[in-house]
RNA sequence: GGCGGAGUAGCUCAGUCGGUAGAGCAGGGGAAUCAUAAUCCCUGUGUCGGGGGUUCGAGUCCCUCCUCCGCUACCA
C-alpha cells in the first residue's frame, strides 16, 4: 500500500425512507470538501457515505408500496446516489446496511460485546401506539375526552412490554467523561461538547438494542426472534466499511479511526452511544465527532407548510453547482446555524465569484491572450511588490491547512479571498495596460506574477469548487498531474512561454429574471 | 427548573495576557478603463443588553437583573 498518511471521514448513513434534502447535501458537502482537500494534500483518503435501510418504518413503507423490503431499498437508496452524482461528491464507498459485509460486521460486534458481558436480556416497555407503530415517552402523551392516553398524533396508546437486549451504557458514564475531558477536540464545536458532557454527567440508562416487534433488521446472533435496533446496526457501518471484523487483515488498522460529520440532531448517538460501544468492544474511538448546524430558508425554519423547502437539485439548477457549494461553505461559520436566502446566494455568486475571483481571472487571462501571444508571460526580475503578492499566495497552504484541521471551511475561504483581493489591488496598482506602452517587459512580469497567483488560487479552490477550478487550471495550461498541493510553491510555478488556450469566463453573473426579486 | 451559549455599527459577525472599539455586506463620494459595468480609493459621533463592583484604566474580570437560543435519552 501507499506510504501516505490515511484519513477517513464519514457522513451519517441516511435513512433510506427520506427524500434527500438540503441537510443531507450539506453534511455530505462538508465531508467532500474535507476529503478533496486531504487527497490533494497527500493523504490516502477514504470518504464514506451510505444509507440506513433497516427498521419498522422501511418495512412498512415497502409493504405500502407493494414491494419486498429489499427491492424497496434498492429503489429508494438510489435517490442518495443520484444526489451524490448531482453534487459531484467524491465518496470512495457507499455503504448500505443491508449488505452482507455489514450484517457480518454488526453480528461480530454484537458477539464481542456479549462476550465482554456488556449485553443482557430484559424487557423493554413503554407507551406504544399501534397505529403509529411507535413508542412515546410519558411526557409526550396527551389525554383524550374519555381520559385515555393519546399519542401526539392522536392515536391511542397502550402499555406494552417486549423482551429486549440491553447494552450496559450506564456503566460507561465515567469513562465517557474521561474521554471528553482528555480529548477536548473529540466533540466539536465546543458548545456541543458541553451539552454532551452535561448530558452524560447527569447519568445514563442502559440502552435497548433489539426489537421483536418487526423483522426487517439484522438478526441477533443466537436469538433470531430479535433483530438489532437502530443504534448498534446503523453506527457500526463506520467500521464495516473500514474492514471490520477483519481487524488485522485488510486496511482496518490503517483506516480507523474516522472523523464523523453529523447534524446536531444525531450528535448524542455518535458522541455517547458509539464511543461506549467501541470502548466496550475494545476498539479505538472515533478521531472526532463534528456536529454542524441547520439551515433556515429566507430567515425561517424550513417546513413543508411554509413552502420554503430547499430542494438540492433545484438550487443547483438555479445557481450552478460550484456556486452553491461555495455559498454553503462560505456563508456561515461552520458549526453554527445559517440562513440560506436568494439575496445572499446571489451576492456570493456575483460579488465573491463573478466579480472578485472570476473577473480577476478574466482580466488577467485576456490581457495575456492579447499581449503575450497566447503564451504564459516571461517574467523579468521580481520587485518587492511582486514577491509580496506571491508570498501571500504561497502562504495560503499552511493557513488553509490549519483551518481545515478544525473544519473551519469559512475561514479557509476567507483566507483565500484575502489573496483574491490583494491580486485585484495589485492589478490596479501595476496597471499593466499602461505598462504595455511604456515598459512591455515589466508588463510581462506583472502578468506572470498574476497568472502564477491565479494558479495557486485555482489549486486551492479545488476542494470547494472542483469543476470551476479545473476549468481555470485548464486555461493556465496546468496539467492534471500538476494539481496536487505539493505544487503550491515557487519550484512548481507556471512555466513561462507555455501555450494557453483562449480564455473564457468561469463564473457567470447571476441575473434575476424578474426585476427586484427578493 | 438544571446545565451550556449568546446579546458589539442598518445586517452578519471579529475582538488574544483588561489600556482610548474593528472587518465584510448594505449606504454615500471619488479614481481608473485591462476585465463578466467587473476593479481600486475615501467615508462609521456605535450608551459594546441594563445596573452595580474591582482597577490608574473594562466589550474584555466579579456580582446582579433582562432578553434570546441550545441541551435536558431511545426521533438517523
Amino acid at each position: 500500500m501507499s506510504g501516505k498518511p490515511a484519513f477517513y471521514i464519514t457522513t451519517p448513513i441516511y435513512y433510506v425512507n427520506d427524500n434527500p434534502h438540503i441537510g443531507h447535501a450539506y453534511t455530505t458537502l462538508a465531508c467532500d470538501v474535507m476529503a478533496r482537500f486531504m487527497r490533494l494534500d497527500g493523504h490516502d483518503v477514504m470518504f464514506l457515505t451510505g444509507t440506513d435501510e433497516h427498521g419498522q418504518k422501511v418495512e412498512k413503507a415497502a409493504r405500502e408500496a407493494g414491494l419486498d423490503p429489499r427491492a424497496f431499498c434498492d429503489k429508494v437508496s438510489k435517490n442518495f446516489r443520484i444526489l451524490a452524482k448531482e453534487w459531484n461528491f467524491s465518496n470512495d464507498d457507499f455503504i448500505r446496511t443491508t449488505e452482507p459485509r455489514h450484517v457480518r460486521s454488526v453480528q461480530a460486534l454484537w458477539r464481542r460485546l456479549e462476550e465482554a458481558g456488556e449485553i443482557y436480556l430484559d424487557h423493554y416497555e413503554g407507551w406504544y401506539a399501534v397505529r403509529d407503530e411507535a413508542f412515546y415517552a410519558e411526557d409526550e402523551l396527551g389525554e383524550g375526552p374519555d381520559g385515555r392516553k393519546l399519542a401526539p398524533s392522536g392515536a391511542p396508546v397502550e402499555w406494552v412490554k417486549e423482551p429486549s437486549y440491553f447494552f450496559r451504557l450506564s456503566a460507561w458514564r465515567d469513562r465517557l467523561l474521561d474521554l471528553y475531558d482528555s480529548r477536548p477536540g473529540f466533540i466539536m464545536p465546543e458548545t456541543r461538547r458541553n451539552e454532551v458532557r452535561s448530558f452524560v454527567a447527569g447519568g445514563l440508562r442502559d440502552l435497548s438494542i433489539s426489537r421483536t416487534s418487526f423483522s426487517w433488521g439484522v438478526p441477533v446472533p443466537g436469538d433470531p426472534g430479535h433483530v438489532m435496533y437502530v443504534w448498534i446496526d446503523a453506527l457500526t457501518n463506520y467500521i464495516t466499511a473500514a474492514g471490520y471484523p477483519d481487524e488485522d487483515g485488510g486496511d482496518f488498522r490503517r483506516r480507523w479511526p474516522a472523523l464523523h460529520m453529523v447534524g446536531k440532531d444525531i450528535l448524542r448517538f455518535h458522541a455517547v452511544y458509539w464511543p461506549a460501544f467501541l470502548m466496550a468492544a475494545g476498539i479505538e474511538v472515533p478521531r472526532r465527532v463534528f456536529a454542524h448546524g441547520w439551515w433556515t430558508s429566507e430567515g425561517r425554519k424550513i417546513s413543508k407548510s411554509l413552502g420554503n423547502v430547499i430542494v438540492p437539485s433545484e438550487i443547483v439548477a438555479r445557481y450552478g453547482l460550484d456556486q452553491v457549494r461555495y455559498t454553503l461553505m462560505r456563508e456561515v461559520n461552520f458549526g453554527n446555524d445559517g440562513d440560506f436566502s436568494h439575496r445572499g446566494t446571489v451576492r456570493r455568486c456575483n460579488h465573491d465569484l463573478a466579480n472578485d475571483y472570476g473577473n480577476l481571472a478574466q482580466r488577467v487571462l485576456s490581457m495575456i491572450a492579447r499581449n503575450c501571444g497566447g503564451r504564459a508571460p516571461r517574467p523579468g526580475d521580481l520587485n518587492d511588490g511582486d514577491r509580496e503578492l506571491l508570498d501571500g499566495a504561497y502562504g495560503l497552504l499552511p493557513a488553509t491547512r490549519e483551518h481545515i484541521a478544525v473544519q473551519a471551511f469559512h475561514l479557509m475561504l476567507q483566507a483565500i479571498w484575502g489573496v483574491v483581493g490583494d491580486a485585484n489591488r495589485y492589478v490596479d496598482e501595476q496597471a499593466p495596460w499602461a505598462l504595455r506602452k511604456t515598459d512591455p517587459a515589466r508588463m510581462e512580469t506583472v502578468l506572470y506574477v498574476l497568472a502564477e497567483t491565479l494558479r495557486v488560487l485555482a489549486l486551492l479552490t479545488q476542494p470547494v469548487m472542483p469543476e470551476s477550478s479545473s476549468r481555470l487550471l485548464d486555461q493556465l495550461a496546468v496539467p492534471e498531474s500538476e494539481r496536487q498541493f505539493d505544487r503550491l510553491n515557487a519550484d512548481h510555478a507556471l512555466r513561462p512561454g507555455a501555450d494557453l488556450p483562449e480564455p473564457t469566463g468561469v463564473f457567470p453573473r447571476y441575473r434575476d429574471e424578474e426585476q427586484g426579486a427578493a
Side-chain angles (χ1 to χ4, degrees), chain A residues 372 375-380 440-446 448 495-498:
Chain A
C372 305
R375 292 164 183 276
R378 298 177 189 278
R442 175 63 193 159
M443 175 201 73
E444 286 229 20
T445 303
V446 166
Y448 180 82
R495 195 161 54 81

Side-chain angles (χ1 to χ4, degrees), chain A residues 267-516:
Chain A
L267 174 60
R268 180 188 310 140
F269 312 129
H270 288 79
V272 181
Y273 303 171
W274 182 225
F277 292 158
L278 289 168
M279 288 192 284
I283 301 171
E284 221 180 314
V285 299
R287 183 191 299 269
R288 168 172 298 158
V289 181
F290 194 109
H292 69 246
W294 289 128
W295 287 94
T296 52
S297 170
E298 303 297 346
R300 297 176 182 212
K301 192 172 172 178
I302 294 176
S303 81
K304 282 175 190 159
S305 55
L306 279 174
N308 62 348
V309 171
I310 302 167
V311 181
S313 57
E314 285 177 5
I315 54 174
V316 165
R318 183 167 192 187
Y319 305 107
L321 175 59
D322 281 353
Q323 282 80 354
V324 169
R325 289 175 57 115
Y326 174 81
T327 300
L328 293 178
M329 290 291 100
R330 176 71 194 261
E331 192 73 359
V332 303
N333 296 12
F334 193 70
N336 292 354
D337 288 350
D339 182 52
F340 187 86
S341 68
H342 177 65
R343 184 187 288 271
T345 304
V346 169
R347 198 170 57 224
R348 291 299 175 193
C349 291
N350 288 353
H351 292 219
D352 296 12
L353 295 178
N355 296 355
D356 293 342
Y357 188 29
N359 182 57
L360 170 68
Q362 186 69 8
R363 66 198 302 208
V364 169
L365 290 170
S366 66
M367 274 189 277
I368 290 174
R370 192 151 336 103
N371 302 312
C372 305
R375 292 164 183 276
R378 298 177 189 278
D381 292 337
L382 302 186
N383 65 28
D384 289 348
D386 303 338
R387 288 212 180 79
E388 198 179 328
L389 179 62
L390 289 174
D391 287 347
Y394 296 140
L396 282 174
L397 179 59
T400 52
R401 268 187 190 136
E402 282 180 30
H403 295 135
I404 274 289
V406 291
Q407 290 74 55
F409 303 109
H410 59 294
L411 293 181
M412 169 178 80
L413 290 169
Q414 269 175 41
I416 295 171
W417 255 253
V419 172
V420 170
D422 292 342
N424 270 318
R425 273 184 287 280
Y426 175 88
V427 180
D428 278 41
E429 284 161 12
Q430 301 296 326
W433 53 90
L435 291 170
R436 185 167 66 102
K437 296 165 195 150
T438 59
D439 189 350
R442 175 63 193 159
M443 175 201 73
E444 286 229 20
T445 303
V446 166
L447 291 179
Y448 180 82
V449 168
L450 284 163
E452 170 61 4
T453 302
L454 275 178
R455 184 186 70 92
V456 171
L457 292 170
L459 287 173
L460 282 166
T461 53
Q462 289 180 102
V464 176
M465 301 184 288
E467 177 61 30
S468 308
S469 305
S470 168
R471 288 175 54 204
L472 207 45
L473 290 166
D474 288 345
Q475 296 192 32
L476 290 163
V478 177
E480 300 267 359
S481 58
E482 301 290 319
R483 297 182 180 183
Q484 296 281 319
F485 286 174
D486 61 4
R487 300 299 196 262
L488 280 171
N489 52 57
D491 293 342
H492 297 87
L494 201 67
R495 195 161 54 81
D499 278 318
L500 301 182
E502 185 77 12
T504 56
V506 172
F507 297 106
R509 290 184 69 74
Y510 178 91
R511 292 171 205 282
D512 261 318
E513 306 82 19
E514 325 101 77
Q515 209 66 13

